[in-house]
Amino acid sequence: MTYTKDALAGRVALITGGGSGIGLGIAKALAAAGAKLLLASRNVERLDSALEELRCLGAEAARVKCDVRKYEEVEAAVKTAGEIYGSLDIVVANAAGNFVVPAAEMSPNAWKVVIDIDLNGTFFCARASYEALKASRFGGRFLAISTTRALEGWPGCAHAGAAKAGIMSLIRTLSAEWGRDGIRCNTIAPGAIGDTEGVRRIYEDQGRKALELGSIPLGKFGQTSDIANAAVFLCSDAGQYVTGADLVVDGGRNRSRASTGYVPEGLWKETA
Ligand code: NAP
Ligand code: COA
């Protein structure tokens, strides 16, 4: 870890999808930097087991059941942070859904469900937390999760690609609108992060793990802690002049694709 234990002292962070994968990695890092946590997602058992892990690490953490597709539940989660901790300083809109299906076979509801979770859910989190973030004595921080695949085009994941591109645009707008309120809004664009549901669904289950690894200049999948460290930077005073940014943490994958015109072998067969 490269940050101090009090980089986020006194801050309260709400993390959607904080019970697993990248969200849990971010939760651990924010807590290690001194933040108090509220984890929000649909599956309470998953949240409880994350809380147990976090508390063993010395974190102060709570959970709230919340489906980010339901605005009233997102509003309630924001309210819960205020009730438990008295304030809300950081919101990490990390919750997402994704699966591989060619656009020509994607049902309208399959499209809708991913747009609802990823894009609408991120807007709901931002909208519902605005007043609380504006009131933060540290300056509010809103962090969303994107991916460079959004701008490359994402065969097999048209819904998630479009949703993440929408998130990137949303964050640029919010950074402009909310800067004067002291709220910094940024995205992190992870590459392929090993041992996550995202990598399992998009690469491993599709038999594309080796191909994906071959496109990464640093030669390995990232770790949730890599994304978590970027989150601490963006949420702490170390990132005090950074807003409207999309911080790419991908082992150079997007540069490699841009320079070689890389298209994974077998991709068209798999998604046609
Ligand atoms: P994950 O473990 O499946 O995380 C997704 C989380 O979102 C889960 O904790 C899930 O919890 C929650 N969630 C899903 N639908 C929800 C809903 N409707 N309301 C509230 N919570 C919901 O996957 P991950 O791979 O760590 O992905 C985390 C983030 O990183 C996502 O934004 C993803 O797009 C992004 N990302 C991941 C990678 C990667 O390599 N893994 C790469 C680029 C971007 P419940 O089931 O309890 O609701
Ligand atoms: N291929 C094609 N279509 C699929 C699919 C797949 N693998 N998985 C789901 N769908 C379709 C369903 O058939 C349904 O469409 P239909 O009504 O026309 O049949 C639609 O998507 C909604 O599916 P449903 O299972 O009802 O949605 P849900 O709200 O219960 O779950 C998901 C949402 C589908 C995104 C689910 O995978 C999820 O909860 N994911 C969270 C974890 C995750 O995706 N992690 C990776 C993050 S990058």
Side-chain angles (χ1 to χ4, degrees):
M1 260 175 248
T2 51
Y3 42 83
T4 59
K5 282 185 182 157
D6 59 357
L8 296 175
R11 271 85 154 180
V12 174
L14 170 63
I15 305 170
T16 67
S20 66
I22 288 174
L24 179 55
I26 291 175
K28 287 178 186 167
L30 297 192
K36 292 175 245 176
L37 309 174
L38 180 62
L39 310 185
S41 78
R42 299 163 301 173
N43 183 333
V44 173
E45 290 75 34
R46 191 208 289 271
L47 291 175
D48 281 339
S49 99
L51 284 190
E52 212 173 296
E53 208 181 319
L54 285 160
R55 285 174 183 152
C56 284
L57 296 170
E60 194 173 338
R63 55 100 165 142
V64 58
K65 185 171 160 55
C66 168
D67 186 329
V68 296
R69 291 170 285 190
K70 297 176 182 159
Y71 188 70
E72 63 283 3
E73 292 189 13
V74 177
E75 266 189 317
V78 168
K79 198 166 162 230
T80 302
E83 285 164 0
I84 297 176
Y85 299 118
S87 62
L88 180 62
D89 309 286
I90 297 167
V91 174
V92 184
N94 160 84
N98 196 7
F99 45 83
V100 175
V101 57
E105 294 165 24
M106 187 181 288
S107 75
N109 194 39
W111 168 269
K112 184 176 179 300
V113 78
V114 172
I115 299 293
D116 271 349
I117 301 171
D118 295 22
L119 180 56
N120 296 341
T122 298
F123 174 71
F124 288 178
C125 288
R127 178 68 183 82
S129 62
Y130 169 69
E131 290 296 343
L133 293 179
K134 190 175 157 189
S136 166
R137 67 193 162 105
F138 301 101
R141 312 285 174 244
F142 189 81
L143 186 59
I145 309 295
S146 62
T147 165
T148 56
R149 307 296 314 258
L151 303 182
E152 293 168 0
W154 198 356
C157 297
H159 44 13
K164 296 294 188 183
I167 288 170
M168 292 168 79
S169 176
L170 171 66
I171 292 300
R172 285 166 194 186
T173 298
L174 295 183
S175 67
E177 289 192 5
W178 294 358
R180 298 291 167 99
D181 295 321
I183 304 172
R184 291 197 286 104
C185 304
N186 294 290
T187 49
I188 296 174
I193 305 304
D195 295 326
T196 60
E197 185 64 21
V199 158
R200 186 182 70 69
R201 289 182 179 219
I202 310 304
Y203 304 118
E204 292 176 355
D205 289 356
Q206 305 296 314
R208 287 171 44 200
K209 183 176 175 183
L211 286 170
E212 188 62 18
L213 268 173
S215 77
I216 303 172
L218 292 187
K220 57 184 178 184
F221 286 147
Q223 301 178 321
T224 56
S225 58
D226 293 320
I227 306 308
N229 287 332
V232 173
F233 166 69
L234 289 171
C235 293
S236 71
D237 293 344
Q240 66 181 359
Y241 202 53
V242 183
T243 193
D246 185 44
L247 180 49
V248 177
V249 185
D250 74 344
R253 183 181 69 173
N254 76 105
R255 295 297 179 220
S256 144
R257 287 197 160 116
S259 62
T260 62
Y262 168 87
V263 175
E265 193 186 322
L267 183 65
W268 309 122
K269 182 165 52 77
E270 284 159 16
T271 60

